Amino acid sequence: MQSYKKRDNSVDSFIFGPSGLRGIVGKTLSPEIVLKFASAFGEYCKSGANASRDKIILGRDSRKSGEMLWHTVVSGLLSCGCQIIDIGICPTPTVGIAVKMKKADGGIVITSSHNPIEWNGLKFFSKDGTFLNPEQNKKFFNLIDKKRDYKPWNRLGKLYFENRWDEIHIKKIINLRYIDLNKIRKKNFKVVLDCNNGAGSLYAPYLLKSLGCEVVELFCDLTKNFSHPPEPQARNLKRLIQEVEKKKADIGFAIDPDVDRLAIVSEKGIPLGEEYTLALATDFILSKRKGDVVTNFSTSQVIDDIAKKYNAKVHRTKVGEIYVAQKLKKLKGIIGGEGNGGVILPEFHPVRDALLGMALILQHLAENNLPISELVKKFPFYFMVKKAIKLGKNFENRLERLKRRYKGIRISQIDGLKIEFKDSWVQIRKSNTEPIVRIFAEARSKGKAEGLVRNVIKSLI
Ligand code: MG
């Protein structure tokens, strides 16, 4: 893996890494940069064994800047002679599914996922419908500044539109062997849904209605801007929490702008935290079949407790869903994802999918015949504290100093620095998508987790 998370050392430049390209529109993410990346991706997809094929799937989230970027990406791809199938505003996983089903050579989603509204970016899919892996990313990045083979007027690409992908994606979920449509429909779950006016605004109500749910739509209007900061964390979900209580709903769902992260609010109006999304999905899948689980080093140890119950093994990777997807493929794992609310079911599609997560959790609820708060009570409870600080100049030196201080304690350096105690841990890692350092800690008590984070921050600033 080469270290090109940032183009240079300045913190205000665009960011390129395992999650694609990201920047602030009008500042670090200019049409020139987007054109460079889009045309390089066109070249990348045309290189190698599939030189004669050049079909790219294109989608975007609902950010207003998406329109400007869309024209730039289309222009870049057409100029290289690519055939584009545009599937409109859609979840990120839908593009992955479309790449695979249409046997395309690649895919681009115009999104910056959970970043604030001023951000946007591009996520790149390889022809197998997963994000580019580190080797592919390296090969692609090497093309950015190379001379382009721009085509003459009679060899330019062509743009096609397809708009039935909500139906295809949702049918694929409903047809999963784990989903008993009659069982879920009989429950007639009342669900409050917060899409934050993101790309899920059309897909998610459609799925829930297909599952026989009574849906209370909160912020499901694509024409509007985000109603709250986009990360589906408890502090941003006040309206959802209120509405679940007010409407006496069975569950509240919040999804991020490109629909790969899912957070749950219990029927009591208590946010469960994103960690419990993957925990619930894992508990459900492991109750159906035996197999390995893959997640990243930042994910709660509740996954280990659940896996233990079913005699399953948990494998950990670096943060970044491509690493989880790659390990799932290599080990033939049956369920995986990330503690930020991202669920991957490889037999469905090897990309995090919030729609899939909703369906699995509703099926789990229907089969257990328990309120969500009771279902979660079966798991050991951990407090996780997640903090972020700005990436300082002396970060690496200070990290080394911190490491020396914990000499003798179990330390893992596969992803940043993770210090593991008996039933608690703290992890320090640079973000792949923003110029910040994330500090996560987990312990049996809130005070202990906060203390771990506090001590680390003191050493780093
Ligand atoms: Mg996302």
Side-chain angles (χ1 to χ4, degrees), residues 213-241:
C213 300
E214 184 189 333
V215 187
V216 180
E217 293 183 26
L218 204 60
F219 314 130
C220 294
D221 185 346
L222 287 174
T223 65
K224 292 187 176 154
N225 286 323
F226 302 150
S227 286
H228 54 73
E231 274 205 279
Q233 291 182 347
R235 64 176 182 273
N236 299 328
L237 306 178
K238 291 190 183 93
R239 270 294 301 281
L240 176 64
I241 292 163

Side-chain angles (χ1 to χ4, degrees), residues 22 92 111-114 123 256-261 352:
R22 294 197 191 178
T92 285
T111 180
S112 57
S113 193
H114 59 273
K123 286 184 174 179
D256 81 325
D258 70 327
V259 199
D260 51 12
R261 284 171 62 176
R352 295 179 310 173

Side-chain angles (χ1 to χ4, degrees), residues 7 12 120 152 225 265 294 309 342 424 429 438 440 444:
R7 186 98 164 100
D12 63 354
N120 213 331
N225 286 323
V265 172
V294 179
K309 189 170 89 177
S424 62
R429 53 171 285 273
R438 293 188 191 278
F440 292 1
R444 287 289 198 166

Side-chain angles (χ1 to χ4, degrees), residues 392-409:
K393 274 183 186 165
N394 297 322
F395 172 71
E396 301 295 345
N397 291 342
R398 287 178 178 179
L399 197 65
E400 274 304 310
R401 204 171 59 197
L402 189 71
K403 205 167 74 188
R404 283 197 297 274
R405 195 201 298 169
Y406 286 101
K407 214 175 164 187
I409 310 280

